[in-house]
Amino acid sequence: MMNDQRKNESRRPYVLIPFVMFAGALTCVPASALDGDTFTPYVTYGVYYDANLLRLPDSAAQSDRWTRAAAGLRMDKELGRQRLTADLSANQSEYDRFDQYSNVGKDLLANWKWALGNQLSGNVGSSYSEGLTPFDDYKSLERSIRTQQKNYVDGSWRFHPSWQVNAAYNRFDLRYDTQAQSPSERNLDMTDIGIDYLAKSGNKIGLVARHIEGDYPYADINSYQQNELKAKVDWQLTGKTYLQFLGGWAKREYASTPQRDSSVPSARLTAYWKATGKTAFSLGVWRELGATDDLAANYARNQGISLGSTWDATSKISVDGLLMTEKRDYNGVAVIDGIAPSDRDDRYNNAVLGLTYKPTLHFRIRASVYRTNLDSNVSAATYKTNGALITTRYEF
């Protein structure tokens, strides 16, 4: 079994070859055949470093460096009032110290933005992602590959110049290739229905009701139903200031363990400010019902704030930054004998500073540094780390 696994790993460098050849072939096709920028092949390469890769307490922290190469194809095509977009790519990551984490990943995004007459419009799409499970979610020397897939359809009917009704359905599937992660696998079915008032100024006020069916195939105790009723606002306050708000109430119910049911207010407010022609800021504030797979906790209440900024220093150089802090309170109940209530409290902080340089129309270089730490009353969960990366992207 181990020999077979090593044989499979030895083949990984060749997985990207068909994608690279495909991208290279497309660059040989005349621009007229590609209809302008309808198809855009691209390649990327990056070098990454993290001082505490496995997100462990200081005494156990170990660093690592890895590289990632990718090749992909982006499509953007308008057909009358319809618009088709897609992005298909494959990537290969190679780790220096923890070489068991080396892997090949795949990503796919596809969307059809449709319109029928002047009153009906919407989207149909799908996304697929396969890659290494983040170490915040899985701290193990065994490699875990996470697969996420989302299919969706939504539509709006503008039955009056100032009013429209909306409906949407989303299906989300999460899978892992390790047995240890199987209790976290889930299927989410989300159905939305709502109505919007459309002001002549372009602003929008609405109401949306959502129903979620959360199914955990290998941990039925975590399966739930959730109902939400929220108000939403998209409002241009001034020529430079824009607000988005989504808030109301969320109620989650567990069929097998009703003592875990919860009903809490949930809201998120985001403000965008274009301070100058070259500088912009964003501010986010939220209080939401967070996801948790802890069998001894019925929910995590997350409260946070973030501040982001961008500065176009020149026509080729831009600088961006992000500061974020979030408090996570786990409300615990004893759901079965032998499991104590979860009273875990976390404080998560993250700071990022990045610089992007575009020497040509087709080539981009990005470098960034970050510092992340999580303080918890559960000592094994506490960690801090610093990291840096530099990535390049070339579009043919």
Side-chain angles (χ1 to χ4, degrees), residues 117-128:
N118 296 321
Q119 297 176 316
L120 297 172
S121 61
N123 297 273
V124 178
S126 181
S127 65
Y128 177 89

Side-chain angles (χ1 to χ4, degrees), residues 165-322:
V165 292
N166 313 297
Y169 171 75
N170 294 265
R171 166 75 179 199
F172 175 76
D173 297 301
L174 178 66
R175 295 291 181 266
Y176 299 92
D177 71 344
T178 58
Q179 187 175 359
Q181 285 288 93
S182 60
S184 297
E185 294 188 357
R186 72 201 70 168
N187 311 313
L188 300 180
D189 292 281
M190 294 172 281
T191 305
D192 292 3
I193 187 169
I195 188 169
D196 294 333
Y197 170 72
L198 311 174
K200 292 182 179 180
S201 59
N203 296 321
K204 183 190 301 182
I205 300 175
L207 192 68
V208 59
R210 168 173 289 182
H211 177 72
I212 304 175
E213 296 277 350
D215 176 41
Y216 288 71
Y218 300 102
D220 189 59
I221 193 174
N222 279 330
S223 297
Y224 66 88
Q225 292 188 11
Q226 183 166 315
N227 292 294
E228 302 176 3
L229 183 61
K230 296 181 178 180
K232 64 176 183 179
V233 178
D234 295 331
W235 204 266
Q236 189 80 41
L237 286 180
T238 69
K240 296 183 176 182
T241 306
Y242 179 71
L243 291 179
Q244 284 186 316
F245 173 80
L246 179 65
W249 206 265
K251 183 178 182 180
R252 181 176 294 188
E253 298 176 302
Y254 295 85
S256 61
T257 53
Q259 62 268 43
R260 303 174 69 194
D261 293 354
S262 59
S263 182
V264 296
S266 177
R268 178 179 287 264
L269 174 66
T270 307
Y272 303 92
W273 177 39
K274 185 73 172 177
T276 69
K278 295 184 176 182
T279 308
F281 296 90
S282 64
L283 175 67
V285 182
W286 62 90
R287 185 182 191 275
E288 297 175 329
L289 183 66
T292 174
D293 300 324
D294 186 348
L295 300 185
N298 60 342
Y299 68 87
R301 185 177 63 245
N302 300 335
Q303 301 178 77
I305 184 171
S306 67
L307 176 64
S309 64
T310 59
W311 172 44
D312 295 327
T314 70
S315 60
K316 296 184 177 182
I317 299 175
S318 62
V319 181
D320 60 89
L322 174 67

Side-chain angles (χ1 to χ4, degrees), residues 2-239:
M2 184 62 69
N3 290 334
D4 291 341
Q5 182 178 355
R6 288 176 179 173
K7 288 179 182 178
N8 290 336
E9 295 213 358
S10 68
R11 297 190 187 104
R12 284 185 188 136
Y14 301 97
V15 174
L16 285 177
I17 290 178
F19 292 92
V20 176
M21 294 178 62
F22 181 52
L26 284 172
T27 63
C28 299
V29 179
S32 58
L34 291 178
D35 191 18
D37 292 329
T38 298
F39 296 98
T40 306
Y42 62 86
V43 291
T44 70
Y45 185 80
V47 180
Y48 304 77
Y49 170 81
D50 194 288
N52 185 4
L53 186 69
L54 299 181
R55 303 301 189 256
L56 298 174
D58 290 349
S59 59
Q62 297 187 69
S63 65
D64 204 355
R65 184 187 71 89
W66 67 99
T67 61
R68 177 176 296 166
L73 176 68
R74 181 165 53 86
M75 183 194 76
D76 191 337
K77 176 67 176 178
E78 291 189 3
L79 299 170
R81 300 186 60 191
Q82 320 300 311
R83 184 176 183 181
L84 302 174
T85 57
D87 195 325
L88 170 66
S89 66
N91 63 78
Q92 179 177 314
S93 298
E94 296 288 342
Y95 286 75
D96 286 352
R97 172 178 289 180
F98 298 99
D99 60 352
Q100 69 268 31
Y101 297 139
S102 297
N103 69 93
V104 171
K106 309 175 188 69
D107 293 284
L108 168 66
L109 295 171
N111 186 78
W112 168 30
K113 185 177 182 181
W114 59 270
L116 184 61
N118 296 321
Q119 297 176 316
L120 297 172
S121 61
N123 297 273
V124 178
S126 181
S127 65
Y128 177 89
S129 177
E130 180 182 319
L132 193 66
T133 302
F135 294 105
D136 295 272
D137 299 332
Y138 186 63
K139 303 177 182 181
S140 172
L141 291 177
E142 179 186 7
R143 188 183 71 177
S144 172
I145 299 297
R146 181 180 68 178
T147 301
Q148 302 178 88
Q149 185 170 356
K150 180 181 179 181
N151 299 304
Y152 60 89
V153 57
D154 64 66
S156 298
W157 174 34
R158 190 164 182 172
F159 63 93
H160 184 276
S162 299
W163 294 92
Q164 71 178 21
V165 292
N166 313 297
Y169 171 75
N170 294 265
R171 166 75 179 199
F172 175 76
D173 297 301
L174 178 66
R175 295 291 181 266
Y176 299 92
D177 71 344
T178 58
Q179 187 175 359
Q181 285 288 93
S182 60
S184 297
E185 294 188 357
R186 72 201 70 168
N187 311 313
L188 300 180
D189 292 281
M190 294 172 281
T191 305
D192 292 3
I193 187 169
I195 188 169
D196 294 333
Y197 170 72
L198 311 174
K200 292 182 179 180
S201 59
N203 296 321
K204 183 190 301 182
I205 300 175
L207 192 68
V208 59
R210 168 173 289 182
H211 177 72
I212 304 175
E213 296 277 350
D215 176 41
Y216 288 71
Y218 300 102
D220 189 59
I221 193 174
N222 279 330
S223 297
Y224 66 88
Q225 292 188 11
Q226 183 166 315
N227 292 294
E228 302 176 3
L229 183 61
K230 296 181 178 180
K232 64 176 183 179
V233 178
D234 295 331
W235 204 266
Q236 189 80 41
L237 286 180
T238 69

Side-chain angles (χ1 to χ4, degrees), residues 323-392:
L323 295 172
M324 191 269 274
T325 182
E326 183 177 69
K327 190 175 186 299
R328 303 166 180 172
D329 296 322
Y330 294 79
N331 182 312
V333 293
V335 297
I336 55 177
D337 293 338
I339 297 183
S342 173
D343 57 356
R344 177 175 167 178
D345 293 319
D346 295 348
R347 169 66 71 176
Y348 176 83
N349 299 290
N350 190 39
V352 182
L353 179 64
L355 183 146
T356 302
Y357 174 49
K358 299 178 181 177
T360 70
L361 181 64
H362 299 280
F363 186 50
R364 182 178 68 192
I365 305 172
R366 175 170 173 79
S368 67
V369 294
Y370 60 86
R371 178 175 177 82
T372 304
N373 71 278
L374 186 144
D375 293 320
S376 175
N377 60 352
V378 177
S379 58
T382 297
Y383 74 85
K384 63 181 178 182
T385 189
N386 302 299
L389 61 91
I390 180 167
T391 62
T392 61

